[in-house]
Amino acid sequence: LLSQIEELAFRVPELGVAELRADRAFAPIVIITSNSEKQLPEPFLRRCIYHHIEFPSDLQQVEQILGARLKSLNLAGPGYVDAVQFFYGLREAGGVQKKPSASELLDWLRALAAAGFDWQRPLKVQQAAAQTCVGSLAKTHDDRELASKRSSTCSGEITGETGVDRCSFPECKNGADVFVRLSCHDSLPFSIVP
């Protein structure tokens, strides 16, 4: 890849093209994403501009992402709140090897919808769908077991007042502005109120 970028040329055998070459006057800008699981080689990094994108800390920003990317889903109701709450709880849980990202949240909600999840019914009464789809959030065997345990112990019942407040749980790094507390075995720190 490095030599192809350096030479501004590459081959696409499937297209039967001998070589595609860019004019040096119009050198393309190449954007490469990384999940940081492996360190990129030094020669490659020397030719790059690095930019890290943080996970959105603003719940409204997460809502905007979900609304823009999942327009076809009716994302409202107790099941939706529980599903997003479950995602945040797993993301902040101790012992998780790979924290689920925004991409996994999108996959989780799509998988639930494909499994027939009813957004108007709480997660606790739809455990079969949740267990079937938990692999879209948990990407290792240990994380999947942790997620399955969390899913099966979550009652999904709203036990606190709904409204604007600050999250007081120690797992809450920045404090959530809006929250609903679910009565789970270890009190999940986040939630989104539709």
Side-chain angles (χ1 to χ4, degrees), residues 33-189:
T33 61
S34 169
N35 59 9
S36 298
E37 287 183 7
K38 293 182 180 178
Q39 182 66 32
L40 296 170
E42 286 298 319
F44 186 82
L45 292 174
R46 281 195 302 271
R47 292 165 174 87
C48 294
I49 297 172
Y50 176 80
H51 178 71
H52 178 75
I53 300 173
E54 290 287 334
F55 185 81
S57 59
D58 179 8
L59 295 175
Q60 287 181 333
Q61 189 177 14
V62 173
E63 285 286 312
Q64 289 174 343
I65 292 168
L66 296 176
R69 300 295 298 268
L70 303 175
K71 292 176 185 173
S72 63
L73 303 180
N74 182 19
L75 297 178
Y80 166 68
V81 171
D82 289 353
V84 174
Q85 172 72 34
F86 183 78
F87 162 80
Y88 273 105
L90 184 60
R91 185 170 167 73
E92 295 299 321
V96 175
Q97 293 174 7
K98 186 200 176 297
K99 286 185 178 187
S101 67
S103 177
E104 276 96 16
L105 175 57
L106 292 167
D107 292 345
W108 163 244
L109 295 174
R110 284 183 188 120
L112 287 172
F117 193 83
D118 181 354
W119 305 116
Q120 300 306 314
R121 294 174 51 222
L123 179 68
K124 71 175 180 174
V125 299
Q126 301 183 80
Q127 285 296 308
Q131 291 294 328
T132 299
C133 301
V134 77
S136 60
L137 285 177
K139 302 300 183 177
T140 69
H141 177 72
D142 291 342
D143 288 354
R144 184 178 170 95
E145 284 189 8
L146 177 68
S148 292
K149 274 189 216 171
R150 292 181 72 86
S151 172
S152 65
T153 59
C154 183
S155 72
E157 297 170 0
I158 295 175
T159 59
E161 293 291 320
T162 302
V164 177
D165 204 338
R166 299 298 290 174
C167 180
S168 60
F169 291 100
E171 300 95 336
C172 248
K173 307 252 184 313
N174 300 321
D177 289 328
V178 180
F179 72 95
V180 175
R181 192 168 298 136
L182 299 181
S183 58
C184 293
H185 71 288
D186 59 352
S187 298
L188 303 178

